[in-house]
Amino acid sequence: MPSYTFTVNGESVTVDAPADLAMLWVLRDKLGVKGPKYGCGINVCKACTSHLDGEAFNPCVTPVSDCAGREVTTIEGLADGDQLHPVQEAWLDRDVPQCGYCQPGQIMAAVALLKRTSTPTDAEIDAIENVCRCGTYFRIREAIKQAAAAMR
Ligand code: FES
Ligand code: FES
């Protein structure tokens, strides 16, 4: 079985895995990184959203072979030690989550958006495709705007 080396939340890891094994299962089952959630497995719900080289990606449809030599960041790697990311702070302040299942992916998508723009419009926020069955979209929008202001 081939082996692949990449970085997960700042630590270099090497895993033995079939080339086509989805990165979501490498993270969750081989490495015990459970922040990225499984919802659909077909790049629709976005519950698994994480970052690959700093940009949002969906590990449920990304083979481990595509991640070799690259930098994977999950919700577990977002805070700087005890210092939460401003998006996480805003999420807490706005009391965004309900059941919480979609929230790691929502936060990672929000962080990726704020890397692209420091002044996100409602349309840009609404273009985030992450599904929330609890309907927390209004609070997500408010939290993203609050985080954007804090980061400017
Ligand atoms: S699990 Fe639904 S997009 Fe990845
Ligand atoms: S908080 Fe429950 S699915 Fe989003």
Side-chain angles (χ1 to χ4, degrees):
M1 194 179 296
S3 72
Y4 300 96
T5 299
F6 45 88
T7 299
V8 177
N9 298 328
E11 286 190 21
S12 179
V13 297
T14 299
V15 296
D16 296 330
D20 61 353
L21 183 63
M23 195 61 184
L24 182 61
W25 305 124
V26 173
L27 289 168
R28 292 183 59 86
D29 293 347
K30 287 184 174 288
L31 300 174
V33 180
K34 301 288 179 68
K37 297 293 186 275
Y38 172 73
C40 68
I42 53 172
N43 200 19
V44 172
C45 74
K46 313 293 185 185
C48 63
T49 302
S50 302
H51 292 179
L52 185 60
D53 292 338
E55 293 185 8
F57 86 120
N58 290 97
C60 72
V61 291
T62 304
V64 61
S65 53
D66 281 7
C67 298
R70 303 177 73 181
E71 196 170 311
V72 177
T73 307
T74 68
I75 188 78
E76 287 90 343
L78 201 55
D80 182 10
D82 291 338
Q83 183 67 48
L84 292 178
H85 189 282
V87 171
Q88 292 173 303
E89 294 281 9
W91 241 249
L92 284 175
D93 201 48
R94 294 282 171 166
D95 217 2
V96 174
Q98 285 194 26
C99 80
Y101 196 81
C102 74
Q103 299 294 325
Q106 301 282 3
I107 290 172
M108 296 307 280
V111 171
L113 172 64
L114 293 179
K115 281 187 176 183
R116 299 195 301 275
T117 175
S118 60
T119 53
T121 64
D122 287 349
E124 286 171 323
I125 294 171
D126 291 346
I128 292 175
E129 294 178 325
N130 294 54
V131 174
C132 177
R133 291 184 65 179
C134 300
T136 62
Y137 301 109
F138 180 79
R139 293 200 298 279
I140 286 172
R141 182 190 282 190
E142 295 300 316
I144 290 175
K145 288 183 175 177
Q146 180 173 320
M151 292 167 69
R152 283 198 288 271

